[in-house]
Amino acid sequence: MNTDIASSSDNDSLAGQAYRLIEEQLVTLRLLPGELITEKDLVDKAGIGRTPVREAIQRLSTEGLLQVIPRKGLMVTPLRRSDLGQIIEARRVLERLLVVKAAERATPGQRHLLKGLARQIASADNDVEVFFRLDRQLNDVLEAACHNRFLVNALTAMHSQCRRLWYLHRKRLDLPRSAQLHGGLGSAVANRDSVGAIRALDEIIAILEGLVNGLDELS
């Protein structure tokens, strides 16, 4: 019995690892939107067994990052303006709730982490890779601090899609402004300032809307 439990736990852990590795490839556009790939390609890229990778593929497909194409394999979901517009519309409402609840419910330890990340992000105004890494950490802490797993689950796929959008525009991004806003968001939540958090979030969402409109220029 204990062996079975350990085996199941190990498999869950490997599936989680496979998910994170493949999601990173998708978000950073190392797997390009519209690209056709196979399950074997992903097994090779992840360096993890077929069963955990299949579980990761199922999750990524549910989240809209991968599409299963009958008799062809898999396709990286294209960045479609119509989809992203709907994602941002929903994200604006749900993430306002997330930052408000995080400001109310964050533990002292989480507030300490948020203050540290806010300072680091605000100073990451000349290195886009550092900015992306810190922004992801900020999202992780905010999600933990809101203490609502259903809200977090609803936003997970939206965050991944929006990170792809950020990454696509990375060379034309106003990084100092983006770093200032994300740092301000973290600081506001840490200081229980729900109004300030919503204000910063709304400006971040406005940038995302501009990036969606900018897809026409990149096509």
Side-chain angles (χ1 to χ4, degrees):
M1 180 68 72
N2 289 338
T3 301
D4 291 341
I5 292 172
S7 175
S8 175
S9 177
D10 288 345
N11 191 58
D12 290 344
S13 177
L14 286 173
Q17 289 177 44
Y19 169 83
R20 287 188 292 274
L21 288 166
I22 298 168
E23 194 258 5
E24 180 72 11
Q25 296 263 331
L26 293 163
V27 165
T28 58
L29 307 183
R30 281 174 276 179
L31 290 170
L32 292 171
E35 181 178 348
L36 289 172
I37 53 176
T38 66
E39 182 183 286
K40 184 180 183 304
D41 292 332
L42 296 181
V43 169
D44 292 342
K45 287 178 182 296
I48 296 175
R50 190 173 296 271
T51 298
V53 167
R54 281 181 178 167
E55 291 182 31
I57 288 171
Q58 283 187 323
R59 181 174 170 187
L60 291 162
S61 176
T62 299
E63 292 177 358
L65 289 170
L66 286 176
Q67 294 176 234
V68 179
I69 309 296
R71 296 182 297 280
K72 290 186 178 180
L74 304 163
M75 182 176 73
V76 179
T77 302
L79 281 163
R80 300 185 182 94
R81 181 172 176 171
S82 58
D83 291 345
L84 288 163
Q86 292 178 46
I87 286 167
I88 290 170
E89 182 178 70
R91 180 177 167 180
R92 175 185 281 110
V93 175
L94 292 175
E95 198 144 7
R96 280 176 177 170
L97 177 59
L98 183 144
V99 299
V100 167
K101 292 307 172 186
E104 291 175 359
R105 298 171 176 172
T107 65
Q110 287 165 341
R111 295 186 194 281
H112 178 74
L113 284 173
L114 287 168
K115 289 177 182 178
L117 281 168
R119 288 192 296 270
Q120 292 179 65
I121 293 173
S123 63
D125 57 2
N126 61 0
D127 190 325
V128 70
E129 296 298 337
V130 171
F131 168 76
F132 285 138
R133 175 175 55 81
L134 292 171
D135 178 48
R136 183 150 196 172
Q137 291 177 28
L138 175 64
N139 278 342
D140 289 344
V141 179
L142 290 173
E143 288 173 355
C146 83
H147 296 280
N148 186 325
R149 63 188 175 90
F150 297 100
L151 181 56
V152 170
N153 288 341
L155 280 163
T156 295
M158 298 183 204
H159 283 155
S160 294
Q161 295 285 9
C162 290
R163 279 198 293 271
R164 288 206 300 167
L165 184 63
W166 284 108
Y167 209 86
L168 182 67
H169 286 275
R170 64 193 180 282
K171 293 182 180 177
R172 7 176 37 193
L173 194 62
D174 183 351
L175 190 56
R177 178 61 175 157
S178 297
Q180 178 188 29
L181 289 172
H182 284 79
L185 173 60
S187 180
V189 172
N191 291 314
R192 297 182 173 84
D193 179 7
S194 297
V195 174
I198 290 174
R199 186 183 304 117
L201 175 65
D202 284 349
E203 293 196 54
I204 291 167
I205 295 294
I207 291 176
L208 282 169
E209 289 174 327
L211 297 183
V212 171
N213 292 333
L215 286 173
D216 294 338
E217 300 171 21
L218 296 175
S219 59

Coordinates of all heavy atoms in Angstrom, one line a residue, residues 7 9 11 16 24 28 50 66 72 85 89 91 114 117-118 122-123 126 140-141 148 161 173 179 184 189 194 201 214:
S7 N 4.5 5.5 -5.3 CA 4.6 5.5 -6.8 C 3.6 6.5 -7.4 O 4.0 7.2 -8.4 CB 4.2 4.1 -7.3 OG 4.1 4.0 -8.7
S9 N 2.6 9.3 -6.0 CA 3.1 10.6 -5.7 C 4.3 10.9 -6.6 O 4.4 12.0 -7.2 CB 3.6 10.6 -4.3 OG 4.2 11.9 -4.0
N11 N 4.7 9.8 -9.7 CA 4.2 10.0 -11.0 C 3.6 11.4 -11.1 O 3.8 12.1 -12.1 CB 3.2 9.0 -11.3 CG 2.8 9.0 -12.8 OD1 3.6 8.8 -13.7 ND2 1.5 9.2 -13.1
G16 N 4.0 16.9 -13.0 CA 4.2 18.4 -12.8 C 5.4 18.9 -13.4 O 5.4 20.0 -13.9
E24 N 7.1 26.1 -20.1 CA 8.1 27.1 -20.3 C 8.5 27.2 -21.8 O 8.8 28.3 -22.3 CB 9.3 26.7 -19.4 CG 10.5 27.6 -19.5 CD 10.3 29.0 -18.8 OE1 9.3 29.1 -18.1 OE2 11.1 29.9 -19.0
T28 N 7.9 30.8 -23.7 CA 9.0 31.5 -24.2 C 9.2 31.4 -25.7 O 10.2 31.9 -26.3 CB 10.3 31.1 -23.5 OG1 10.5 29.7 -23.7 CG2 10.2 31.4 -22.0
R50 N 7.1 8.9 -21.0 CA 6.0 9.2 -21.8 C 4.7 9.4 -21.0 O 3.9 10.3 -21.4 CB 5.8 8.0 -22.8 CG 4.7 8.2 -23.9 CD 4.7 7.0 -24.9 NE 6.0 6.9 -25.6 CZ 6.3 7.5 -26.7 NH1 5.4 8.4 -27.2 NH2 7.4 7.4 -27.3
L66 N -1.9 23.8 -26.2 CA -1.7 22.8 -27.2 C -3.0 22.3 -27.8 O -4.1 22.3 -27.1 CB -1.0 21.6 -26.6 CG 0.5 21.7 -26.3 CD1 1.0 20.4 -25.6 CD2 1.3 22.0 -27.6
K72 N -2.2 13.9 -37.0 CA -1.1 14.7 -37.3 C -0.2 14.9 -36.0 O 0.9 15.3 -36.1 CB -1.5 16.1 -37.8 CG -2.0 16.0 -39.2 CD -2.3 17.4 -39.8 CE -2.8 17.4 -41.2 NZ -3.1 18.7 -41.8
G85 N -8.3 38.7 -26.8 CA -9.2 39.7 -26.3 C -10.2 39.2 -25.3 O -10.4 39.9 -24.3
E89 N -10.4 40.2 -21.3 CA -11.7 40.6 -20.7 C -12.0 39.9 -19.4 O -12.4 40.5 -18.4 CB -12.7 40.4 -21.8 CG -14.1 40.8 -21.4 CD -15.1 40.6 -22.5 OE1 -15.4 39.4 -22.8 OE2 -15.6 41.6 -23.1
R91 N -9.7 38.1 -17.6 CA -8.7 38.3 -16.6 C -8.8 39.6 -15.8 O -8.5 39.6 -14.6 CB -7.3 38.3 -17.4 CG -6.1 38.4 -16.4 CD -4.8 38.3 -17.1 NE -3.8 38.8 -16.2 CZ -2.5 38.8 -16.5 NH1 -2.0 38.4 -17.6 NH2 -1.6 39.3 -15.6
L114 N 6.5 39.6 -1.0 CA 6.0 40.6 -2.0 C 6.8 41.9 -2.0 O 7.1 42.5 -3.1 CB 4.5 40.9 -1.7 CG 3.6 39.7 -2.1 CD1 2.2 40.0 -1.5 CD2 3.5 39.6 -3.6
L117 N 10.1 41.2 -3.7 CA 9.9 41.1 -5.2 C 9.6 42.4 -5.8 O 10.0 42.7 -6.9 CB 8.8 40.0 -5.5 CG 9.2 38.6 -5.4 CD1 7.9 37.7 -5.4 CD2 10.1 38.2 -6.5
A118 N 8.8 43.2 -5.1 CA 8.4 44.5 -5.7 C 9.7 45.4 -5.9 O 9.8 46.0 -7.0 CB 7.5 45.2 -4.7
A122 N 11.0 46.4 -9.7 CA 11.0 47.8 -10.1 C 12.4 48.1 -10.6 O 12.6 49.1 -11.4 CB 10.7 48.6 -8.9
S123 N 13.4 47.4 -10.1 CA 14.8 47.7 -10.6 C 15.2 46.9 -11.8 O 16.3 47.1 -12.3 CB 15.8 47.5 -9.4 OG 15.8 46.1 -9.1
N126 N 16.1 47.0 -17.2 CA 17.0 46.9 -18.3 C 17.3 45.5 -18.7 O 18.2 45.2 -19.5 CB 18.3 47.7 -18.1 CG 19.0 47.2 -16.9 OD1 18.6 46.2 -16.2 ND2 20.1 47.8 -16.6
D140 N 3.2 33.8 -8.6 CA 3.1 32.7 -7.7 C 2.8 33.1 -6.3 O 1.9 32.4 -5.6 CB 4.4 31.9 -7.7 CG 4.7 31.2 -9.0 OD1 3.8 31.0 -9.8 OD2 5.9 30.8 -9.3
V141 N 3.4 34.2 -5.8 CA 3.1 34.6 -4.4 C 1.7 35.2 -4.3 O 1.0 34.9 -3.4 CB 4.2 35.6 -4.0 CG1 3.9 36.1 -2.6 CG2 5.6 35.0 -4.0
N148 N -7.4 31.1 -2.6 CA -8.6 30.6 -3.3 C -8.2 29.8 -4.5 O -7.9 30.4 -5.5 CB -9.4 31.9 -3.7 CG -10.8 31.4 -4.3 OD1 -10.9 30.4 -5.0 ND2 -11.8 32.2 -4.1
Q161 N -1.1 32.3 -21.5 CA -1.4 32.9 -22.8 C -0.8 34.3 -22.8 O -0.3 34.7 -23.8 CB -2.9 32.9 -23.1 CG -3.5 31.5 -23.3 CD -3.1 30.9 -24.6 OE1 -2.3 31.4 -25.3 NE2 -3.8 29.8 -24.9
L173 N 8.9 46.1 -25.9 CA 8.3 46.4 -24.6 C 8.9 47.6 -23.9 O 10.1 47.8 -24.0 CB 8.4 45.2 -23.7 CG 7.5 45.1 -22.5 CD1 6.1 45.0 -22.8 CD2 7.9 43.8 -21.7
A179 N 8.0 47.3 -15.5 CA 8.7 47.0 -14.3 C 8.1 47.8 -13.1 O 7.9 47.3 -12.0 CB 10.2 47.1 -14.4
G184 N 4.9 48.1 -8.4 CA 3.8 48.8 -7.7 C 2.7 47.9 -7.2 O 2.1 48.0 -6.1
V189 N -0.2 45.3 -2.7 CA -0.7 44.1 -2.1 C -0.1 43.9 -0.7 O -0.7 43.6 0.3 CB -0.6 42.8 -3.0 CG1 -1.0 41.6 -2.2 CG2 -1.5 43.0 -4.2
S194 N -5.6 47.7 -1.4 CA -6.4 47.1 -2.5 C -6.7 48.1 -3.7 O -6.6 47.7 -4.8 CB -7.8 46.6 -2.0 OG -7.6 45.6 -1.0
L201 N -2.9 47.1 -11.5 CA -3.4 46.0 -12.4 C -4.1 46.5 -13.6 O -3.8 46.0 -14.7 CB -4.3 45.1 -11.6 CG -5.0 44.0 -12.4 CD1 -4.0 43.0 -12.8 CD2 -6.1 43.3 -11.5
G214 N -1.1 45.2 -31.2 CA 0.1 45.2 -31.9 C 0.4 43.9 -32.6 O 1.4 43.8 -33.4

